[in-house]
């Protein structure tokens, strides 16, 4: 038995034979050619095929991985249309009298080196795209079939790394697990593994060709792979895998069921999302709606401030796809740990206590209005709620609402369709002790409260959420935080508004019963936690005395 270790992307176990995923070794012709025109014609034909393939992959990725992931293939198609690159290839063919394959090999490598030497990490990462495109062009020139690399049997795929076009091309029905030597937690392998719920190991340095065809266990719980495992291991981990599968099947049975306790109390369980690419996860996990759309990801994914039109398209797509479910879109929460170059924010000594979130929006009115206009226009296409982050004072909420009303008036005059004002709830996040203490006054102005426990914990306990050294002091169940949550729920209910939790604590299963007993109306959690929470809620009986009081 051989053992490889790495970084696990997903807890879970996969058992199957290994398939080494390797591009066929192409022998690039090195000789001098005598018909450059014929070589250029071959090149043009191959380039056309690569562009068509990239466009096809783009369409496929839109369906399987979402718009954001698909965008890379549009960039690829554009790279293949780049005149400088094509001129460089043709120059080698014409002046050096070399084959199309040789010229492609040299020119793409040169361009990749140029990208690598750039300072901007985004541009550096484009070198991987160059190698990916070189391989595709060579495949077409030399008649190699990349599809054959995966084989026809379900397998644990082992690769050096996986390029975006490779991950999209893979036949997912044959993918039992994935192991790569390279890759980061945000690499394409990792993203694909998470979206498919497939165990995966990255940064596994032990992989080697001799593993091909051998039986293996990928143990995501312990971040390792056993090649040719012992009978004992096969039995133990095989049983664990079966237990996992049974649990998953049980959860699937909960789809379509209400989040109702044994004694008949129902709450909403929503999902948190970062953009249109998460729509599938909301649907697959049967969330009642979206309780937190972190709209700043629309800003973070853009190289310049996204226009009203760009934002409108993103929000409309989410609202339309998830209608009639409610989608709570939080206005831009930039600052603190989320910085953006084009915002040109001043350096601050204490960014977590600095100009962030709604504070930025209220000081940059035009920037704020661009988002509010996009949101109002998108409201015509689904059920929108708007949420403001990092509120500490009533005047901030009043001012934000006044700017929203100003946008509505402008859009009406411009003839845009919008949902009626009464259909769009406007709420706030409760993320600061100030907002907790001002709960009654804020509840008079807000349609709902959503408790951001990540920041509320940070500000209540004075523990920087970014600082790993403070872990020993961080008690996520600290009674002060739980009391702040209870006080917020009570304040909201005194004024007839609903109160939810959208911070990470909402998914903490050890607290679900406590939150239910506090009277929480909604929990918004990562999509994968929706069904497990539903299971707990449905097995809780609030008419029985609480097992323990945590606050
Ligand atoms: C929170 O603070 O709990 C929250 C949901 O917002 P974020 O994590 O994006 O700051
Ligand atoms: Mg927050």
């Amino acid at each position: 038995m051989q053992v490889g270790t790495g970084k696990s992307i997903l807890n879970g176990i996969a058992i199957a034979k290994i398939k080494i995923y390797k591009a066929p070794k192409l022998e690039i012709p090195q000789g001098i050619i005598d018909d450059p025109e014929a070589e250029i014609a071959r090149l043009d034909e191959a380039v056309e095929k690569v562009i068509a393939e990239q466009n096809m992959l783009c369409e496929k990725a839109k369906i399987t991985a979402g718009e954001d992931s698909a965008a890379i293939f549009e960039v690829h198609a554009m790279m293949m249309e780049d005149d400088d690159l094509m001129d460089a290839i043709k120059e080698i063919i014409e002046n050096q009298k070399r084959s199309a394959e040789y010229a492609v090999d040299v020119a793409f490598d040169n361009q990749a080196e140029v990208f690598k030497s750039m300072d901007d990490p985004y541009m550096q990462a484009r070198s991987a795209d160059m190698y990916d495109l070189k391989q595709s062009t060579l495949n077409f020139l030399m008649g190699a079939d990349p599809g054959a690399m995966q084989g026809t049997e379900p397998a644990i795929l082992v690769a050096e790394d996986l390029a975006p076009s490779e991950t999209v091309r893979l036949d997912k029905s044959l993918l039992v697990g994935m192991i790569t030597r390279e890759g980061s937690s945000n690499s394409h392998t990792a993203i694909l593994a998470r979206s498919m719920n497939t165990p995966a190991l990255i940064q596994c340095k032990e992989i080697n060709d001799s593993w091909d065809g051998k039986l293996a266990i990928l143990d995501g719980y312990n971040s390792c792979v056993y090649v040719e495992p012992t009978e004992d291991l096969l039995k133990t981990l095989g049983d664990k895998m079966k237990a996992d599968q049974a649990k998953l099947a049980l959860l699937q049975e909960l789809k379509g069921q209400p989040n109702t306790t044994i004694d008949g109390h129902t709450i909403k369980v929503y999902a948190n999302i970062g953009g249109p690419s998460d729509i599938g996860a909301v649907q697959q996990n049967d969330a009642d709606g979206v309780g937190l759309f972190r709209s700043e990801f629309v800003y973070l994914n853009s190289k310049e401030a996204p226009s009203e039109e760009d934002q409108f398209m993103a929000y409309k797509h989410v609202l339309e796809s998830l209608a009639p479910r409610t989608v709570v879109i939080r206005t831009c929460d930039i600052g603190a740990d989320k910085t953006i170059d084009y915002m040109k924010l001043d350096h601050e000594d204490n960014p977590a206590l600095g100009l962030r979130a709604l504070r930025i929006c209220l000081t940059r009115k035009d920037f704020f209005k661009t988002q509010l206009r996009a949101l109002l226009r998108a409201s015509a296409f689904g059920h929108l709620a708007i949420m403001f982050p990092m509120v500490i004072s009533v005047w901030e909420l009043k001012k934000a609402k006044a700017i929203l009303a100003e946008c509505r008036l402008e859009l009406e005059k411009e003839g845009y369709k919008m949902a009626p004002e009464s259909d769009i709830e406007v709420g706030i996040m409760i993320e600061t002790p100030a907002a907790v203490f001002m709960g009654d006054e804020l509840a008079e102005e807000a349609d709902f409260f959503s408790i951001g426990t990540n920041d509320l914990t940070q500000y209540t306990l004075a523990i920087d959420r970014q600082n790993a050294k403070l872990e020993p002091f961080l008690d996520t169940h600290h009674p002060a935080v739980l009391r702040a949550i209870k006080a917020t729920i009570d304040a909201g209910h005194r004024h007839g508004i609903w109160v939810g939790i959208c911070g990470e604590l909402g998914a903490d299963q050890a607290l679900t019963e406590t939150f239910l007993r506090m009277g929480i109306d909604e929990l918004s959690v990562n999509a994968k936690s929706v069904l497990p929470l539903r299971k707990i809620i449905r097995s809780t009986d609030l008419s029985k005395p609480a097992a323990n009081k945590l606050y």
Side-chain angles (χ1 to χ4, degrees):
M1 178 171 85
Q2 291 182 56
V3 183
T5 55
K7 207 167 155 190
S8 172
I9 293 302
L10 200 101
N11 282 342
I13 291 170
I15 303 180
K17 281 191 181 160
I18 282 180
K19 171 74 186 155
I20 300 282
Y21 184 86
K22 205 177 206 176
K25 184 124 188 64
L26 300 174
E27 291 295 335
I28 310 279
Q30 301 288 323
I32 302 293
I33 48 106
D34 49 18
D35 188 356
E37 262 179 41
E39 287 305 294
I40 288 177
R42 286 180 62 231
L43 171 75
D44 288 342
E45 196 185 328
V47 168
E48 233 173 73
K49 284 183 183 158
V50 175
I51 293 173
E53 185 184 46
Q54 295 300 318
N55 289 331
M56 179 275 289
L57 291 172
C58 180
E59 291 311 312
K60 192 172 168 198
K62 275 185 191 160
I63 298 162
T64 55
E67 299 266 345
D68 292 354
S69 309
I72 188 68
F73 300 108
E74 267 163 8
V75 175
H76 279 184
M78 269 156 46
M79 283 170 149
M80 290 303 290
E81 280 163 0
D82 178 48
D83 286 342
D84 288 345
L85 178 65
M86 289 305 131
D87 288 350
I89 302 173
K90 287 178 184 168
E91 212 174 278
I92 298 173
I93 298 176
E94 280 169 342
N95 297 348
Q96 299 180 30
K97 303 265 180 304
R98 300 296 194 132
S99 67
E101 288 86 343
Y102 179 93
V104 163
D105 192 33
V106 172
F108 275 86
D109 279 359
N110 287 345
Q111 187 56 48
E113 287 304 317
V114 171
F115 281 133
K116 264 190 211 161
S117 65
M118 292 182 176
D119 290 335
D120 180 353
Y122 174 83
M123 295 310 288
Q124 282 174 4
R126 300 284 68 79
S127 64
D129 297 306
M130 273 294 133
Y131 292 125
D132 192 11
L133 288 170
K134 176 178 99 169
Q135 188 64 46
S136 299
T137 316
L138 288 175
N139 285 344
F140 280 115
L141 279 170
M142 304 180 81
D145 174 13
M149 283 154 59
Q150 194 183 358
T152 50
E153 303 277 314
I156 297 173
L157 221 59
V158 172
E160 289 296 315
D161 202 357
L162 285 168
S165 62
E166 289 172 324
T167 38
V168 172
R169 255 193 227 117
L170 290 175
D171 181 344
K172 315 291 182 288
S173 65
L174 301 179
L175 208 56
V176 182
M178 280 182 284
I179 304 174
T180 58
R181 190 191 303 279
E182 308 296 333
S184 65
S185 311
N186 286 321
S187 62
H188 293 283
T189 316
I191 293 167
L192 179 72
R194 278 192 215 104
S195 71
M196 290 179 49
N197 223 355
T198 306
L201 206 60
I202 56 170
Q203 297 166 22
C204 177
K205 300 299 172 203
E206 293 88 357
I207 66 169
N208 65 73
D209 290 355
S210 74
W211 289 5
D212 201 26
K214 291 184 176 158
L215 183 67
I217 308 176
L218 198 175
D219 180 355
Y221 292 103
N222 294 305
S223 307
C224 61
V225 53
Y226 305 101
V227 183
E228 297 187 310
T230 59
E231 283 301 318
D232 276 0
L233 259 180
L234 258 180
K235 164 96 183 69
T236 318
L237 293 177
D239 287 349
K240 174 123 188 64
M241 184 178 78
K242 279 188 208 129
D244 283 355
Q245 284 166 349
K247 247 193 235 163
L248 211 69
L250 260 182
L251 284 179
Q252 297 306 310
E253 283 174 16
L254 290 172
K255 284 191 182 175
Q257 304 288 333
N259 307 301
T260 304
T261 59
I262 292 173
D263 54 312
H265 179 74
T266 303
I267 68 160
K268 294 200 166 76
V269 180
Y270 283 173
N272 292 346
I273 66 168
S277 55
D278 295 330
I279 292 170
V282 176
Q283 292 164 332
Q284 281 150 25
N285 292 284
D286 196 32
D288 298 331
V290 168
L292 170 65
F293 174 170
R294 288 183 160 96
S295 74
E296 58 276 8
F297 284 105
V298 175
Y299 293 78
L300 289 160
N301 287 334
S302 179
K303 295 190 93 184
E304 52 191 33
S307 64
E308 178 182 318
E309 201 56 30
D310 286 347
Q311 293 192 52
F312 163 68
M313 293 303 285
Y315 305 148
K316 170 176 178 272
H317 182 47
V318 173
L319 285 162
E320 218 165 25
S321 312
L322 292 174
R325 298 175 176 97
T326 300
V327 177
V328 180
I329 303 186
R330 168 173 81 185
T331 58
C332 187
D333 187 4
I334 289 300
D337 53 322
K338 298 170 206 143
T339 55
I340 301 183
D341 287 348
Y342 62 73
M343 296 282 298
K344 301 206 175 352
L345 296 168
D346 290 337
H347 169 80
E348 290 178 313
D349 287 338
N350 288 309
L353 304 179
L355 194 62
R356 57 168 294 197
L358 189 62
R359 298 171 183 181
I360 294 183
C361 291
L362 293 180
T363 43
R364 298 189 186 193
K365 192 172 164 192
D366 287 344
F367 170 83
F368 194 27
K369 279 179 75 174
T370 304
Q371 178 169 40
L372 295 178
R373 284 175 56 97
L375 286 169
L376 286 171
R377 285 175 54 196
S379 71
F381 298 89
H383 189 223
L384 169 72
I386 298 175
M387 176 158 80
F388 301 122
M390 269 297 284
V391 173
I392 59 166
S393 302
V394 177
W395 72 262
E396 294 169 331
L397 173 56
K398 283 190 176 163
K399 185 150 181 204
K401 282 169 60 179
I403 299 173
L404 184 67
E406 192 180 311
C407 292
R408 176 175 280 279
L409 271 181
E410 280 174 15
L411 289 165
E412 267 164 9
K413 277 197 201 126
E414 290 165 37
Y416 284 106
K417 275 201 304 186
M418 288 169 277
E421 199 177 339
S422 56
D423 281 4
I424 306 177
E425 289 183 302
V426 178
I428 60 167
M429 294 194 67
I430 301 289
E431 296 180 286
T432 60
V436 176
F437 288 123
M438 297 301 293
D440 281 298
E441 289 83 348
L442 287 166
E444 279 177 16
E445 284 295 324
D447 295 324
F448 64 90
F449 284 161
S450 185
I451 306 172
T453 50
N454 310 335
D455 277 316
L456 184 60
T457 304
Q458 146 162 279
Y459 297 126
T460 303
L461 304 184
I463 287 202
D464 178 356
R465 65 193 264 192
Q466 299 284 98
N467 188 343
K469 286 195 200 122
L470 295 175
E471 287 285 321
F473 298 94
L474 176 64
D475 172 5
T476 53
H477 293 189
H478 197 294
V481 176
L482 297 179
R483 285 179 201 176
I485 294 172
K486 174 70 173 138
T488 303
I489 297 171
D490 290 346
H493 289 178
R494 276 197 290 278
H495 298 269
I497 65 170
W498 63 266
V499 183
I501 295 176
C502 64
E504 294 300 304
L505 215 54
D508 187 331
Q509 299 180 12
L511 291 175
T512 311
E513 183 179 336
T514 301
F515 293 148
L516 286 166
R517 289 188 186 277
M518 285 181 178
I520 202 76
D521 303 295
E522 176 246 25
L523 293 171
S524 190
V525 296
N526 65 74
K528 292 229 164 67
S529 293
V530 168
L531 292 174
L533 277 186
R534 182 170 297 167
K535 185 163 188 278
I536 295 188
I537 294 165
R538 290 173 63 81
S539 56
T540 303
D541 189 349
L542 299 175
S543 67
K544 300 238 169 82
N548 48 13
K549 185 158 164 65
L550 298 174
Y551 63 97

